[in-house]
């Protein structure tokens, strides 16, 4: 199975900050990577697909980059509604696998 | 708008089976794949399998082979996930998720989740 490793596992940030989360795959996955946001008690929400494509309706403050094994999610101008847990997911090879999550908390 | 509405929480005994449903609306049901993903307490998201809602073909994670069955009722626009031989480790929130337009393994819309508790 392809292992997905996210870092950091948690971070504290202030409103207005720019935040970067990284995701590393245990083998190359081209650009078959998605990013999700999840708030407590809610379903995950898709933000990014194909490593860098914004899902419909997702604000442009979210951006993704990377290819192969190393990927990043950047959130510009952090707002209160952005405090959540973020997950990456590879869909290059079965079984589909997810990162362990990055919890973004208010400083 | 795309919506996936799941059935309610259930409590099951070890060894029992459970069926979770996922009713789709807001798009052409038969042209998309539906996946099942679970999230156990303190664990990462775990993919279970998918069904091609049009053809009925399925693919399962080897971690669940023999225990999970995904079916669909096209007239009801509903997908079902059956998990058998339940054990305490199966206690989790189970989500259905739609495969995207770009790639059927890109999970673009998710159901609200169904808590399945396995306890004696």
């Amino acid at each position: 199975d392809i292992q997905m490793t996210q870092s950091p596992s948690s971070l504290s940030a202030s409103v207005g900050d720019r935040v970067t989360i990284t995701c590393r795959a245990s083998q190359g996955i081209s650009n078959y990577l998605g990013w999700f946001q999840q708030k407590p008690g809610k379903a995950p929400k898709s933000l990014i697909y194909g490593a860098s494509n914004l899902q419909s309706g997702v604000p442009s403050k979210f951006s993704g980059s990377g290819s192969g094994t190393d990927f990043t999610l950047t959130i510009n101008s952090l707002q209160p509604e952005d405090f959540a847990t973020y997950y990456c997911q590879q869909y290059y090879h079965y079984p589909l696998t997810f990162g362990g999550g990055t919890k973004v908390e208010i400083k | 708008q795309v919506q996936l509405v799941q059935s309610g929480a259930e409590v099951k005994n070890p060894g029992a089976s459970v069926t979770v449903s996922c009713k789709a609306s807001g798009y052409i049901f038969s042209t998309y794949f539906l996946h099942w993903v679970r999230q156990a307490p303190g664990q990462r998201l775990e993919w279970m399998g998918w069904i091609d809602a049009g053809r009925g073909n399925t693919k399962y994670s080897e971690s669940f082979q023999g225990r999970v069955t995904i079916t669909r009722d096209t007239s009801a626009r509903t997908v079902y996930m059956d998990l058998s031989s339940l054990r305490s480790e199966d206690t989790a929130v189970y989500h259905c998720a739609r495969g995207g337009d770009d790639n059927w393994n890109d999970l673009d819309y998710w159901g609200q989740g169904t808590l399945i508790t396995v306890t004696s």
Side-chain angles (χ1 to χ4, degrees):
Chain A
D1 296 1
I2 298 176
Q3 307 302 316
M4 305 301 292
T5 303
Q6 285 184 236
S7 60
S9 56
S10 67
L11 64 89
S12 295
S14 301
V15 172
D17 282 354
R18 180 182 184 182
V19 165
T20 298
I21 298 168
T22 65
C23 179
R24 174 165 289 176
S26 60
Q27 65 185 75
I29 59 170
S30 184
N31 67 335
Y32 292 95
L33 185 105
W35 288 98
F36 301 88
Q37 175 194 68
Q38 188 176 33
K39 298 179 181 179
K42 300 294 186 182
K45 174 186 176 183
S46 178
L47 301 174
I48 301 281
Y49 67 95
S52 61
N53 300 292
L54 218 55
Q55 285 285 5
S56 175
V58 174
S60 58
K61 63 189 298 181
F62 293 96
S63 63
S65 65
S67 183
T69 59
D70 295 311
F71 302 86
T72 61
L73 173 70
T74 299
I75 311 170
N76 287 308
S77 186
L78 207 62
Q79 296 302 305
E81 62 270 21
D82 302 326
F83 292 94
T85 300
Y86 294 84
Y87 296 94
C88 62
Q89 176 232 338
Q90 67 81 20
Y91 50 98
Y92 180 77
H93 194 273
Y94 293 113
L96 312 184
T97 49
F98 294 81
T102 296
K103 187 174 185 179
V104 177
E105 299 175 300
I106 301 174
K107 183 182 286 184
Chain B
Q1 72 283 18
V2 174
Q3 281 196 306
L4 300 172
V5 179
Q6 299 180 219
S7 50
E10 298 203 46
V11 179
K12 294 291 184 179
N13 291 327
S17 298
V18 69
T19 299
V20 183
S21 67
C22 171
K23 184 172 178 62
S25 61
Y27 70 95
I28 301 173
F29 178 76
S30 60
T31 60
Y32 288 85
F33 285 41
L34 262 292
H35 297 247
W36 288 91
V37 177
R38 77 177 185 181
Q39 190 169 28
Q43 302 296 312
R44 62 182 64 194
L45 293 156
E46 182 177 23
W47 176 76
M48 301 178 70
W50 56 245
I51 186 166
D52 174 344
R55 299 182 180 184
N57 297 346
T58 55
K59 185 170 184 66
Y60 302 121
S61 168
E62 288 185 8
S63 298
F64 297 94
Q65 281 289 3
R67 288 209 303 143
V68 66
T69 304
I70 302 174
T71 58
R72 96 289 193 216
D73 179 341
T74 53
S75 62
R77 302 174 58 87
T78 300
V79 171
Y80 303 91
M81 188 282 296
D82 296 322
L83 187 62
S84 62
S85 303
L86 291 169
R87 35 210 190 224
S88 58
E89 309 90 88
D90 293 318
T91 293
V93 175
Y94 290 76
H95 293 278
C96 59
R98 193 186 78 164
D101 291 310
D102 182 64
N103 184 297
W104 66 66
N105 290 320
D106 152 44
L107 308 177
D108 63 357
Y109 290 93
W110 293 60
Q112 84 275 19
T114 298
L115 175 62
I116 303 300
T117 304
V118 183
T119 179
S120 54

